[in-house]
Structures are given as C-alpha cells and as structure tokens.
Amino acid sequence: MTDTLFTKIINRELPADIVYEDDEALVFRDINPQAPVHLLVIPKKVIPKLSDSTAEDQQLLGHLLLVANKVAEQEGLENFRLNINNGADAGQTVFHLHIHVLGGRSFSWPPG
Ligand code: DGP
C-alpha cells in the first residue's frame, strides 16, 4: 500500500503536534483546524479508507473510537463531533484512514 503523509508522521519523518500514541493508534492536531480543537485519530496500520477495512480490522476500528473518546476527554470536550471522510467526493484528501475529532464550538447539521 502507498505511504502517505500520515505514515511519515507515524515514523517521525514529518513533525506533528502529537497528543496521544499507543501501539495501534496515533493522534495529532490537524494542520488546518476547522474548530478550536481538531484532532486526527489514525491507525498505525495503513488502511487507505474506511471502505477498505475488513472484518479483520474490527478490534482496531473499535479501538480508534475509544481513543477518539479518550482524547476528547483529555481536551476537556463534553460535546464533540467525529467525522470520517470516505473517498474524494466525501472530502477525503489523505488516503490513510483517519477520524476527525472536532470540538470547542457549536456545529450545524446537516454538514455541507
Ligand atoms: P481529509 O480531508 O478527511 O482527508 O482530512 C485530511 C486532514 O489532514 C485535513 O483536515 C488536513 C490534515 N493534514 C493534511 N496534511 C497534514 C499534515 O502534514 N499534518 C497535519 N497535522 N495535518 C495534515
């Protein structure tokens, strides 16, 4: 699978403001924040997009959600939004699965 910018962040070849790390996941601040808190939760395993995941990834995907919750709590967020863009037409620009954790402001619904 093709490496992306996020592999370089995992390997510390590109700097990032990392707020959490464990054996399976890494969390860092988005370079172009859309809210006062904007984090990206990524698996260390390269999965280009959610629709490329399989039943084999069940534990990992659950873990990423728990990590998202943990870092939201760490940032003091009671209300927050999680977002996964799957594919270019859905707004995905980096093809390494990531969960956006957004908080610190109100959000409207439906999203644009
Ligand atoms: P998406 O559009 O869902 O693929 O989101 C990709 C996000 O990644 C976007 O909000 C900007 C962020 N991003 C892109 N390049 C970098 C980078 O080099 N460092 C950091 N911290 N974030 C990045």
Side-chain angles (χ1 to χ4, degrees):
M1 281 177 189
T2 320
D3 282 357
T4 67
L5 288 172
F6 291 176
T7 306
K8 291 195 167 66
I9 290 175
I10 293 167
N11 294 335
R12 306 304 202 267
E13 292 160 10
L14 247 190
D17 187 354
I18 293 169
V19 301
Y20 176 87
E21 180 170 25
D22 63 29
D23 288 347
E24 295 178 306
L26 189 73
V27 186
F28 49 93
R29 293 189 195 283
D30 194 291
I31 206 167
N32 183 23
Q34 302 301 312
V37 176
H38 187 170
L39 305 174
L40 300 172
V41 178
I42 69 169
K44 289 186 173 174
K45 175 182 175 182
V46 179
I47 300 173
K49 53 189 197 295
L50 183 64
S51 55
D52 295 316
S53 61
T54 67
E56 203 177 273
D57 300 312
Q58 181 168 339
Q59 181 277 333
L60 176 60
L61 295 177
H63 181 66
L64 295 177
L65 277 183
L66 290 173
V67 167
N69 195 39
K70 191 192 300 250
V71 293
E73 190 175 53
Q74 195 172 289
E75 294 287 321
L77 301 175
E78 282 182 28
N79 297 273
F80 54 91
R81 179 172 288 184
L82 302 184
N83 187 90
I84 298 174
N85 297 325
N86 188 84
D89 283 353
Q92 187 173 6
T93 58
V94 179
F95 287 82
H96 182 130
L97 173 64
H98 49 282
I99 304 174
H100 295 260
V101 180
L102 297 143
R105 67 169 172 87
S106 297
F107 299 99
S108 58
W109 190 262

